[in-house]
Amino acid sequence: MYRVAAIALGLISSAAGAAPVYLKCQLDYDSSSNKSQTHELDLTLNEDTGTVTISFVGTSLADTVRGAFNADKVTFKHDN
């Protein structure tokens, strides 16, 4: 009986998700006009829901997309 309770407690605690991770990012790239541009964006990584929310700083633009989460990488695709 105690073994079953211990296993159940282990499953319950492992099912509890991690808190979202908030990142402030700076994206530097060369535009088609050959000028370097910088965009600041905030990312919210939510492994529990499998989503990544992208918010462009200084604008009202934001989007939530599906993400793939593993131990050392989060992969997502954002289409403009």
Side-chain angles (χ1 to χ4, degrees):
M1 178 67 173
Y2 291 114
R3 187 173 294 167
V4 173
I7 293 171
L9 286 174
L11 291 175
I12 291 170
S13 64
S14 67
V21 174
Y22 302 94
L23 301 174
K24 290 198 166 289
C25 304
Q26 185 174 359
L27 178 65
D28 297 322
Y29 69 96
D30 290 329
S31 68
S32 60
S33 63
N34 293 326
K35 291 184 182 179
S36 180
Q37 295 186 1
T38 300
H39 291 282
E40 292 183 8
L41 51 109
D42 295 333
L43 295 178
T44 302
L45 310 176
N46 191 329
E47 188 172 4
D48 284 346
T49 61
T51 59
V52 175
T53 301
I54 307 148
S55 302
F56 294 90
V57 175
T59 72
S60 61
L61 299 175
D63 196 13
T64 299
V65 297
R66 301 290 303 161
F69 294 78
N70 65 34
D72 62 348
K73 181 171 50 174
V74 177
T75 306
F76 64 94
K77 183 176 181 181
H78 179 260
D79 295 322
N80 290 3

